[in-house]
Structure formats: C-alpha cells, structure tokens
Amino acid sequence: MDNNQNNFRNGNGEKEEIRFDERDFQNPYSKYYSQSRGDSSQSTDSDFGNPYSRYYNNSDTNQTGGDRTESEPIDFGTYNRPGKTYLELQKDKKNFSRIGFGYALFSIITFAVSLIIANVVYRINSDVYNSTLFMNALTPIALYIFALPVLLILLSGSEAKPPEKRKMKVGTWFVILIVAFGCMYIGSYIGNFVMAYLSSLMNYDYSNALETIIDENSLWITAIFTVIVAPIGEEVVFRKLIIDRTQKYGAFVSIGLSALMFGLMHGNFYQFFYCFALGIILGYIYYSTGNLFATIAMHAAINFVGGILSSLLQSVLDGLISLDTTDAEAVSEFVMDNALGIIGMSVFSLFVFASMICAVVLPIVFRKKLDLPQGSDELPRSRVFNTVIVNVGVITMLAVYLFEFGLNLLPF
C-alpha cells in the first residue's frame, strides 16, 4: 500500500485507484509548530495562541544553519518546564523531614536527660539539687553534651552550605539591635497578655519561669549562662545548623523555619512571641552575612539587657512601689540612697519605649534596603507549605513542641 493511495477492486474486478490528498492526513497539532517551508503564508505559534509554545526553543534552521527541508524530521525543541519536578520536590521534602526528626529527637533527649539527672541528683544530695549553679547548668548539660551530638549525627545526611560571607556595617548592626530590643519588648507584652488571658480562663495563676529563675538565682551565675552559654549554643543550633541546610531554598523558608523552631523550643507563650521575632532578626543577619559571631554578639547583648540589666533596675522599681508615699522623709531617704538607680530606670524606660517605636517604623522605612541573597534552589511559593511543613519529620517535631507547651500549661 502506497502512502498516498490504496488499490481497490470494483465490481468488474478492475483495480480502482483512489487518491488522497496530503491535507487529509495533516497533523492536527502542526499549527503549534513554526516551520519554515518557504511559504510566507505558513501559520505560526502566535497565530493560534498556543499556550505551551513558550516551553519550546524551536529554531527554523537545521544543525547546519540552513532552512529545514520538508524531508527532515520536525525538531520539537527542548522542554523548559518552570518550577521543580515531582521527584525534586520529594527530595526536598525528605530533607526537611530529616531536619524535623533531628530536632524532635533533640528536644526529647534534652527533656529526658534533664529529668533523669535531676532525679538522680535529688536522691543523692538535695542541697546540690536546690543550688543555683545546678539549676542553671542542668539544661545546658542535657542540650550540648547529650542531645547535640545526636542531632549532628542525624543532620549529617543533609547537605550543609553556609551563606556567602558579606560585610555588615557596624552602624547597621546597632540599628538592627535597637529594632531587636523593640521586638523583644513588644513580643514580651503580647506573651504576658496571652498568659494573663489563659490564667483567667483556667482560673490559675501562671508564673513566668524565666523571671523566677533570674529572681531566685545568683546574678553572676545567671549572667554566665544567659549572656555567654545560651547565645553561643542557641546560635549554633538554631541559626547555623538550620540555615546552612535550608538557605538554598530562599530567605522566606530558611529564616522562617529557623525562627519558628527557635520560638517553639522555649515551650511557653511568655517567651514564644519575642523569641520568634528575635529569631527572624538573628536569622536575617546570619542569612545575609554568613557571620555567626554577629548573631552571637547581638543575642548576648539582648540577653544582658533583657535579663541582667532589667533585673537590677527591677529591684529599684520594687522599692518605689513598696514606699509609703505619705511618709515624705522615707521617700526622700530612698531617693537619695537610690538616685543612680532611679535615673537609670528612667533612662531605661525611655529606651524601651523608643525601641518599640523603632521596631515598628524602621522596618517600614528601610524595607527596600533589606537586601537578601536569592536561594540557589528556591521552592515555588505554592509548594512551600506542603514541602516544608507537611512531612513526617516536621509534623513530629511540631507535635513534640506542642506537647511541651501543653505540659507548661497544666495547672500545677
């Protein structure tokens, strides 16, 4: 049988030749491909509005640079689909799942080891158990000696690449520090409001465990652990280890995940809101500069002002509140004895108020200068939640953190 004709026999047994025109077999999709056949009337992709034409890099010339002849096969071009393939997204999801499992186990080991050590020490020597040194050292021991090595092993299978080193001006660092202070106090007020509401709802007076620890412990011991130990350890665990493994996915994913995990790790609403806000700021610094020392220094400064300096000034405020204002002599004597503290408290109050204004205004004013490098393998925005959050590891991690929140909200 010929391509252009078929032979049939009629009733007389003679062959009857039926011819078909080439147009009868014309490819119905040929209108989507621009072909140069020397015919100026040939239709092009744009004539038919092919929505997929942008994915094909067709050329009207053959490999030798001449026009494609009709006998040559049609070159369909290279398919350039935007976004990621299904397998690539599954690989990314597996990476986030590994990170989630690592931090879930990190939290579980920290909690379990702290409980075991506390129970053993209490049975052996209750005086050591009640000492300020032991209470401050318990969590860091569980975190960095027992839980951190396990976390490093689990994360070893995930590719880590630090952000590119970029310089940050000292003045810029101090401006961000002021914004960070403001975010800390705004977040603290939000947390106190939420806990006050829960206290009224549960008919139970919740206390801020951090304030209790600072008030009851030695100031110097507290300073060592809050200004030195905590900033170094937390910046390594929640900035470097996370952002190094996620910065290729872009700032939104990398900084956001780091801040969320940093806030949830504290396990209570008193600290969650301001830790989440500080996590975004510290994550921004590390992501944009690759300088972990800059984030450690800022973290230490925030802890010193928020934990140590405010505690010193709080004693002056408590003294003022307890004064009998009807006793002029007692008030005068207190002011003379605590003049420096009263001046410091007044200046500090103005600083807190000014920093909160800066935390709201400065990010808006300088929003166009917030330069963030683009990730080398950014996720499509429509797939971020499904890839980053909806996986077994991260869901397990969130369940563990929410369980810790629940324990801290139990009325006992």
Side-chain angles (χ1 to χ4, degrees), residues 348-364:
F348 184 75
S349 299
L350 291 173
F351 170 76
V352 170
F353 181 72
S355 67
M356 288 192 292
I357 294 176
C358 290
V360 175
V361 175
L362 292 183
I364 298 175

Side-chain angles (χ1 to χ4, degrees), residues 264-306:
L264 289 175
M265 179 273 299
H266 288 81
N268 63 83
F269 286 114
Y270 279 116
Q271 295 175 273
F272 170 75
F273 296 99
Y274 74 77
C275 285
F276 176 73
L278 292 178
I280 292 177
I281 294 173
L282 295 169
Y284 165 78
I285 293 175
Y286 182 63
Y287 184 94
S288 59
T289 67
N291 187 348
L292 192 66
F293 177 77
T295 68
I296 292 174
M298 184 169 292
H299 196 153
I302 291 169
N303 282 7
F304 173 77
V305 173

Side-chain angles (χ1 to χ4, degrees), residues 65-116:
D67 291 342
R68 188 184 64 81
T69 64
E70 190 166 347
S71 61
E72 293 176 347
I74 298 174
D75 180 12
F76 291 101
T78 305
Y79 182 57
N80 296 325
R81 182 185 55 77
K84 291 191 170 192
T85 65
Y86 174 79
L87 293 178
E88 289 172 338
L89 288 172
Q90 291 303 307
K91 183 180 178 181
D92 294 335
K93 180 177 287 193
K94 185 178 180 181
N95 186 39
F96 285 106
S97 186
R98 182 186 293 110
I99 293 172
F101 267 127
Y103 279 84
L105 193 56
F106 176 78
S107 184
I108 292 172
I109 292 174
T110 301
F111 177 79
V113 171
S114 297
L115 194 63
I116 293 171

Side-chain angles (χ1 to χ4, degrees), residues 19-84:
R19 294 183 178 276
F20 298 93
D21 193 273
E22 183 181 1
R23 290 174 297 179
D24 296 331
F25 294 95
Q26 186 177 10
N27 177 10
Y29 301 103
S30 62
K31 61 187 178 183
Y32 293 140
Y33 302 97
S34 177
Q35 304 169 11
S36 176
R37 299 173 180 266
D39 183 4
S40 60
S41 63
Q42 181 67 31
S43 300
T44 63
D45 294 345
S46 59
D47 295 332
F48 296 93
N50 176 20
Y52 303 103
S53 62
R54 65 182 181 273
Y55 298 140
Y56 298 92
N57 298 328
N58 284 324
S59 175
D60 289 341
T61 58
N62 58 17
Q63 294 179 350
T64 61
D67 291 342
R68 188 184 64 81
T69 64
E70 190 166 347
S71 61
E72 293 176 347
I74 298 174
D75 180 12
F76 291 101
T78 305
Y79 182 57
N80 296 325
R81 182 185 55 77
K84 291 191 170 192

